[in-house]
Amino acid sequence: MKGLYCKLGETAADAKFVVRETNVPSALGSNQVKVQVKACALSPLDIKLHEDLKFQRDLVPVGREIVGIVLQVGPKVTFFQPDDEVVGILPLDTAMSGLCDAVVINEHHLVQKPEKLSWVEAAGAIRDGLRAYTALHTLARMASGHTLLVLDGASPFGVLSIQLAHYHGVKVLASALSSEDQKFLEQLRPSVARVIGVWDAKVDLVDSCLEETGGLGVDIVMDSGVRLHEEEPEARCLLPYKHDIITLIGVGGHWVTTEQNLQLDPPDSRSLFLKAASLSFLNEEVWGASSARQGRYLHIMKDIVEKLSTGTLRPQLEDPVPLYDATVSMEMVQKNQVRKRLVIQL
């Protein structure tokens, strides 16, 4: 069978996506499950993370968010049996692409898919749901009555974060990177308290947040990146500066960042100290770094699929593409031309 892989080059820009033949192990390990893949989500590949972890391989599997049907289980598997419908995320060190017809995965990376939940919704929302839970519950300690600012609220991650926060009684502000995103967020239900159109040069993010909170600032900020320099690529020009985020955060607030290269100068640290504010880096891959976290990881994924099945979480997904469009789709995702792509196995 064939799978989609990223062929690494000397730099991230040199990476190419290629289709390669893949063999599925005939014999399963004690806790392994063989799954027939029904749908797979394509998210941007963090090439730098793979280099940092020194996996030492030229081909990196693509498409880790999967949903499918259990075909076979190992001798010590207790959670699943053949014909169960499951959803999960392939581990970071997997050798298999989620676009293969079938994959082999440890049972501790899977949860049961509710019958009412579609293949596409399950695959398309599982990772963004995990990121939202990690940011809001694990890192920011979200609680009812808090005020949350979600930057780039119209992204798949942003939408699920907004919905999860609403469920827990949090007041939500969100930024929009385009007029289309602003219109989408204004029509979102439950409604966002304020949509801040940062695409409009007349709109100031800090002033809008302080006005909405009576000058107190927000309790939680979740960014989608931070503008580090004056001269940035066009795609990053609408990102906030770190000084803006530090200014709009309230006393005792939490800043959850996705910016891996964020650097704080002494005055920045002093400002955060005076507010007793905290800074956390969002990296959902840590759930697979320690077996001590497996129980909590599975609990989160079970809660995500349950909320998806009841409509508490409602991902905004594009129509899925067929397998033969996967290579082009992944190139578009990696270049940030589209936010996410779903591939359905016919």
Side-chain angles (χ1 to χ4, degrees):
M1 68 182 70
K2 295 181 178 180
L4 183 63
Y5 294 83
C6 177
K7 187 175 182 180
L8 300 179
E10 293 186 4
T11 65
D14 296 330
K16 304 292 183 184
F17 295 98
V18 296
V19 176
R20 289 287 187 269
E21 287 289 339
T22 305
N23 295 320
V24 178
S26 55
L28 298 182
S30 297
N31 295 101
Q32 288 186 325
V33 177
K34 185 177 181 181
V35 178
Q36 177 188 2
V37 179
K38 288 293 185 181
C40 173
L42 301 177
S43 298
L45 184 66
D46 191 339
I47 296 175
K48 182 67 167 61
L49 180 60
H50 282 80
E51 293 173 348
D52 290 342
L53 295 176
K54 296 180 171 59
F55 285 140
Q56 302 294 335
R57 57 190 179 193
D58 295 328
L59 294 176
V60 177
V62 171
R64 293 169 48 216
E65 302 122 88
I66 63 164
V67 60
I69 300 174
V70 174
L71 298 176
Q72 185 182 352
V73 299
K76 293 187 178 180
V77 171
T78 56
F79 295 162
F80 308 105
Q81 57 187 4
D83 296 327
D84 282 349
E85 296 182 351
V86 294
V87 57
I89 302 174
L90 293 170
L92 196 61
D93 61 353
T94 184
M96 303 193 69
S97 165
L99 291 171
C100 295
D101 294 336
V103 296
V104 173
I105 180 174
N106 189 288
E107 65 172 332
H108 297 114
H109 294 284
L110 296 170
V111 294
Q112 296 272 2
K113 181 185 80 67
E115 186 177 351
K116 294 188 295 183
L117 183 60
S118 72
W119 301 116
V120 170
E121 282 187 322
I126 189 65
R127 182 170 182 171
D128 289 316
L130 176 65
R131 297 186 78 214
Y133 264 76
T134 305
L136 293 174
H137 285 296
T138 308
L139 300 178
R141 304 295 183 183
M142 168 183 66
S144 177
H146 277 166
T147 301
L148 164 70
L149 170 62
V150 180
L151 296 166
D152 191 11
S155 67
F157 167 54
V159 169
L160 292 185
S161 299
I162 290 170
Q163 293 169 349
L164 183 62
H166 273 304
Y167 179 78
H168 289 280
V170 172
K171 178 181 178 180
V172 181
L173 318 179
S175 73
L177 303 186
S178 67
S179 57
E180 293 80 8
D181 285 354
Q182 180 157 352
K183 184 177 180 181
F184 165 76
L185 289 170
E186 288 172 345
Q187 295 174 345
L188 199 62
R189 294 294 180 270
S191 60
V192 175
R194 183 162 183 167
V195 179
I196 305 167
V198 295
W199 58 273
D200 186 346
K202 299 177 183 178
V203 175
D204 185 272
L205 177 67
V206 176
D207 290 345
S208 298
C209 290
L210 294 179
E211 179 184 338
E212 188 65 34
T213 58
L216 297 176
V218 300
D219 299 296
I220 304 169
V221 180
M222 289 170 45
D223 70 42
S224 58
V226 176
R227 189 171 178 179
L228 303 175
H229 312 287
E230 287 290 340
E231 296 183 3
E232 291 269 21
E234 184 179 354
R236 294 179 58 87
C237 285
L238 295 179
L239 296 177
Y241 289 104
K242 58 184 176 181
H243 309 291
D244 295 335
I245 295 179
I246 293 172
T247 301
L248 62 81
I249 198 168
V251 172
H254 301 273
W255 175 10
V256 181
T257 183
T258 60
E259 184 57 61
Q260 301 179 17
N261 299 316
L262 179 68
Q263 297 183 19
L264 295 183
D265 300 320
D268 302 326
S269 299
R270 180 66 180 174
S271 296
L272 290 173
F273 167 77
L274 292 173
K275 294 183 177 185
S278 65
L279 169 65
S280 301
F281 289 86
L282 176 58
N283 176 17
E284 71 278 7
E285 301 294 355
V286 297
W287 292 110
S290 171
S291 58
R293 291 180 170 266
Q294 282 181 344
R296 186 179 298 179
Y297 176 47
L298 291 176
H299 174 77
I300 291 173
M301 291 212 295
K302 286 178 182 177
D303 202 37
I304 292 168
V305 295
E306 181 62 30
K307 284 183 168 57
L308 286 168
S309 68
T310 58
T312 301
L313 298 179
R314 301 174 307 284
Q316 305 297 314
L317 304 172
E318 296 183 11
D319 292 335
V321 299
L323 186 58
Y324 58 76
D325 280 341
T327 303
V328 174
S329 294
M330 186 60 206
E331 290 173 349
M332 295 172 67
V333 169
Q334 193 68 15
K335 294 176 181 177
N336 294 318
Q337 295 172 350
V338 295
R339 284 167 165 153
K340 183 184 282 282
R341 272 285 193 263
L342 285 152
V343 179
I344 191 163
Q345 303 273 33
L346 301 177

